[in-house]
Amino acid sequence: MTDSNPPLWDIEGRQLRSRLLLGTARYPSLAVLQQAIVASGAEIVTVSLRRESATERAGNRFWSTIKAMGVQVLPNTAGCKTVKEAVTTAEMGREIFETSWLKLEVIGDDYTLQPHPFLLVEAAEELCRRGFEVFPYTTEDMVVAERLIQAGCSILMPWGAPIGSGQGLNNPYALRTLRARYPDIALIVDAGIGKPSHAIAAMEMGFDGVLVNTAVARATDPVQMGRAFGLAVESGRLAYLAGAMPVQEMAEPSTPVTGTPFWHQS
């Protein structure tokens, strides 16, 4: 990766340069996950406490591997459906992973895995009161975003599409509107990203980062796909900072023709 990107955040004294967040579920092996993290350049990885605690031995091996890599762990309340469940899981995550960072999920629909807007806000309020740095997984809904900010969240994670669907950015208009409405809030597109081009599109809109899991973990070559996403996020960010040309209806020649001599063979 180049050194052209400025740090993403300064949280708890940690400067983070990569704007790619990587999920850690569904990889074929722990070794492949480790290689994919390195190849992607990601400095933040999400971890589902409920999954990694399924067996104590597997959980300990996973945690020791991640800890040795020096990346920032973002515990995740994946699978939680109630405020109480989310808060309890968050407290366990803070103790085990030694961080107050938290990706908050409160799922309201089993089919789409869409966040439950009312319970999400309630859980965010409680967790912010308890001193967590809450990264709420939400939809692109503007009203919910405002309530989450009022609850104390300085970072929002709107979905691009349903989790694991690979559909990309289903509602680019709403995402652009959200970005324009909250220029000073860190916005990370989470869920539904299927290809590096989807990540580029999000970053070109001015989003601060992208979280990817399934698209890397389930690729034929997760390590190469991790690298592809790392480059895509960096490319999209650079394009946003450079300022893309405006879209227009009519053609405009790239080479001026007025007053330009033409050469021809006689």
Side-chain angles (χ1 to χ4, degrees):
M1 305 301 251
T2 70
D3 291 333
S4 51
N5 269 1
L8 174 58
W9 294 300
D10 183 354
I11 298 178
E12 299 176 349
R14 180 158 190 170
Q15 296 287 318
L16 301 176
R17 300 182 66 81
S18 174
R19 293 173 179 267
L20 174 65
L21 291 74
L22 203 61
T24 57
R26 304 185 68 184
Y27 286 81
S29 70
L30 186 55
V32 171
L33 167 61
Q34 190 175 16
Q35 293 169 37
I37 293 172
V38 172
S40 72
E43 297 172 276
I44 302 175
V45 297
T46 62
V47 176
S48 170
L49 177 65
R50 293 159 65 93
R51 187 187 72 252
E52 298 310 332
S53 298
T55 64
E56 184 177 356
R57 179 178 296 179
N60 288 339
R61 185 171 66 252
F62 174 89
W63 173 224
S64 62
T65 300
I66 295 299
K67 192 172 184 178
M69 297 186 71
V71 294
Q72 173 67 48
V73 173
L74 180 61
N76 183 4
T77 63
C80 292
K81 296 182 179 180
T82 68
V83 173
K84 181 179 180 180
E85 192 178 14
V87 171
T88 300
T89 303
E91 290 288 6
M92 292 173 64
R94 177 156 60 180
E95 180 178 351
I96 292 173
F97 297 112
E98 303 172 335
T99 178
S100 61
W101 287 24
L102 177 74
K103 180 187 172 187
L104 175 61
E105 290 188 25
V106 184
I107 299 302
D109 181 75
D110 289 334
Y111 181 71
T112 63
L113 300 181
Q114 179 172 329
H116 193 302
F118 312 116
L119 299 184
L120 180 67
V121 170
E122 185 180 342
E125 290 173 342
E126 177 60 28
L127 289 165
C128 286
R129 278 196 295 268
R130 295 186 181 212
F132 283 89
E133 184 73 35
V134 179
F135 297 51
Y137 164 62
T138 182
T139 65
E140 69 277 25
D141 186 277
M142 189 76 67
V143 176
V144 177
E146 180 63 29
R147 290 293 304 276
L148 288 168
I149 293 169
Q150 291 174 0
C153 299
S154 58
I155 296 167
L156 301 180
M157 303 183 76
W159 68 352
I163 293 173
S165 69
Q167 296 177 28
L169 308 182
N170 274 354
N171 194 343
Y173 168 78
L175 290 171
R176 282 194 297 267
T177 302
L178 193 66
R179 177 71 285 177
R181 176 67 177 82
Y182 299 109
D184 299 322
I185 296 294
L187 299 178
I188 302 166
V189 173
D190 175 20
I193 299 295
K195 297 183 290 188
S197 58
H198 298 157
I200 291 175
M203 297 303 295
E204 286 179 342
M205 287 182 188
F207 279 83
D208 296 281
V210 170
L211 193 156
V212 181
N213 189 164
T214 307
V216 174
R218 307 303 290 175
T220 303
D221 187 338
V223 178
Q224 284 287 64
M225 188 60 77
R227 181 170 183 267
F229 268 103
L231 293 170
V233 168
E234 182 174 348
S235 174
R237 179 63 179 176
L238 289 175
Y240 170 72
L241 294 176
M245 63 172 287
V247 176
Q248 56 189 37
E249 294 296 326
M250 301 300 291
E252 179 179 324
S254 56
T255 302
V257 295
T258 304
T260 301
F262 287 86
W263 290 268
H264 65 274
Q265 293 181 333
S266 56

